[in-house]
Amino acid sequence: MLWQTTRFDIDLDRPRVMGIVNVTPDSFSDGGRHADTAAALRHCEQLVAEGADILDIGGESSRPGAVSVSEEEELARVLPVLDGALGLGVPLSIDTVKPAVMRRALERGADIVNDIAALRAPGALDAVAAFPRAGVCLMHMRGDPATMQQRPAYDDVVDEVRDFLRARLMVLGAAGIAPERVVLDPGIGFGKSVEHNLELLRRQPELQSLGRPLLLGWSRKSTLGAVTGRPVGERLAASLAAALAAAQQGARVLRVHDVTATVDALKVWGAAGLLPVPESPAEE
Ligand code: PT1
């Protein structure tokens, strides 16, 4: 199965690793943005050397309780890193909910828009539709990052996530964005309890009936902290276990901080013939 993006048709017959590049200000440097841009670009190069198949560049945190940054600020953080990373030879994804950031990034040549709000912001659909080859990741989120962890409740979390992603896929289709450009993400940690997140892992194959590849982001998240009792800096083993479990359950893109370790883990599973898992038939 291929994922069509601006410059690359990404073969998802084997699971791919998306390396996370956060472009947020370094509180220890007062030298303006150059130091932050340079550090982010070094990180991009390192992740590619470690085997990342895709880089996901983000200038606004979406962790629970995070506050949003202005459009100008986000552009100033992300665009110089995007420009510098375009020559690295891997697809570049921009992690943003802002239509203006999507447009400016796609104009510069970004390959993918990764939107935790699934193109629900006014103007977001048009921004992506204006670039006929650009890829998209649509993610499920209940509420917004500032408030999403306030007692999330679902009738059936998997049904609700599946219904939401199916509806967004239809809305994108109506806006002229072909399904071949889209991957889907249940949004681990976005308005979900520990049990909800674990149920999404256990029942992840039910989301494959949507007929598009799944992207999963478990890396270092608080559900892994709840399960292991470990702080965010000590969640590598838990993150690897979650990434492999997600891959076994059919995930085709894994969004991770620790690229070397994830690539090695996938190599072992691949060598044993355990990956990829067979596709389940699409819905009629
Ligand atoms: C994700 C994701 C993302 N996660 C996609 N984009 C984050 N497509 C940012 C916690 O519970 O899963 N998929 N962009 C990071 N967001 C979180 C959310 C980080 C929850 C941490 C937690 O600790």
Side-chain angles (χ1 to χ4, degrees):
M1 175 149 29
L2 293 177
W3 182 14
Q4 184 194 312
T5 75
T6 305
R7 296 176 298 164
F8 302 88
D9 286 327
I10 305 172
D11 175 6
L12 298 182
D13 284 346
R14 72 169 173 86
R16 299 289 168 172
V17 174
M18 170 185 267
I20 299 168
V21 180
N22 288 316
V23 196
T24 43
D26 173 4
S27 49
F28 298 102
S29 93
D30 58 357
R33 299 187 187 282
H34 296 297
D36 298 323
T37 301
L41 276 173
R42 277 195 304 276
H43 194 212
C44 289
E45 286 165 15
Q46 161 144 17
L47 295 183
V48 171
E50 291 180 9
D53 299 297
I54 304 167
L55 296 177
D56 188 38
I57 300 167
E60 173 175 82
S61 174
S62 58
R63 285 193 304 273
V67 289
S68 52
V69 302
S70 72
E71 185 178 302
E72 294 68 31
E73 174 67 24
E74 197 178 326
L75 286 166
R77 289 179 185 179
V78 158
L79 293 184
V81 178
L82 173 65
D83 287 343
L86 277 167
L88 291 176
V90 299
L92 303 179
S93 152
I94 299 296
D95 187 348
T96 187
V97 300
K98 294 191 183 68
V101 176
M102 295 173 191
R103 271 189 191 278
R104 296 283 297 276
L106 292 168
E107 281 165 10
R108 304 277 187 122
D111 297 286
I112 297 160
V113 169
N114 171 27
D115 183 2
I116 63 165
L119 305 186
R120 282 178 293 163
L125 280 171
D126 292 340
V128 173
F131 295 83
R133 277 199 54 88
V136 195
C137 176
L138 297 180
M139 198 196 78
H140 175 271
M141 169 171 57
R142 169 77 74 82
D144 60 64
T147 60
M148 64 191 179
Q149 290 310 106
Q150 294 167 9
R151 296 172 51 80
Y154 296 84
D155 201 20
D156 182 315
V157 66
V158 180
D159 286 353
E160 177 159 333
V161 165
R162 196 189 47 225
D163 290 350
F164 172 85
L165 293 174
R166 184 194 292 112
R168 293 310 298 166
L169 204 48
M170 300 273 289
V171 168
L172 264 70
I177 303 170
E180 292 71 25
R181 301 168 58 184
V182 183
V183 303
L184 304 173
D185 181 347
I188 299 305
F190 287 89
K192 290 147 190 127
S193 69
V194 170
E195 276 310 319
H196 292 142
N197 292 316
L198 295 171
E199 185 168 2
L200 282 163
L201 178 54
R202 193 163 56 243
R203 295 174 55 197
Q204 190 185 293
E206 294 176 39
L207 300 174
Q208 295 193 164
S209 63
L210 296 168
R212 293 305 304 156
L214 298 179
L215 183 154
L216 268 293
W218 276 94
S219 189
R220 301 182 184 172
K221 284 186 179 172
S222 55
T223 291
L224 303 176
V227 170
T228 61
R230 297 198 185 276
V232 65
E234 298 174 11
R235 295 180 188 161
L236 173 57
S239 298
L240 288 173
L244 281 183
Q248 182 189 29
Q249 295 280 59
R252 297 311 174 102
V253 185
L254 303 170
R255 183 182 182 274
V256 306
H257 298 90
D258 300 289
V259 169
T260 298
T262 307
V263 167
D264 279 3
L266 287 170
K267 278 183 182 166
V268 173
W269 280 44
L274 294 168
L275 294 172
V277 300
E279 266 173 52
S280 69
E283 291 181 336
E284 80 280 19

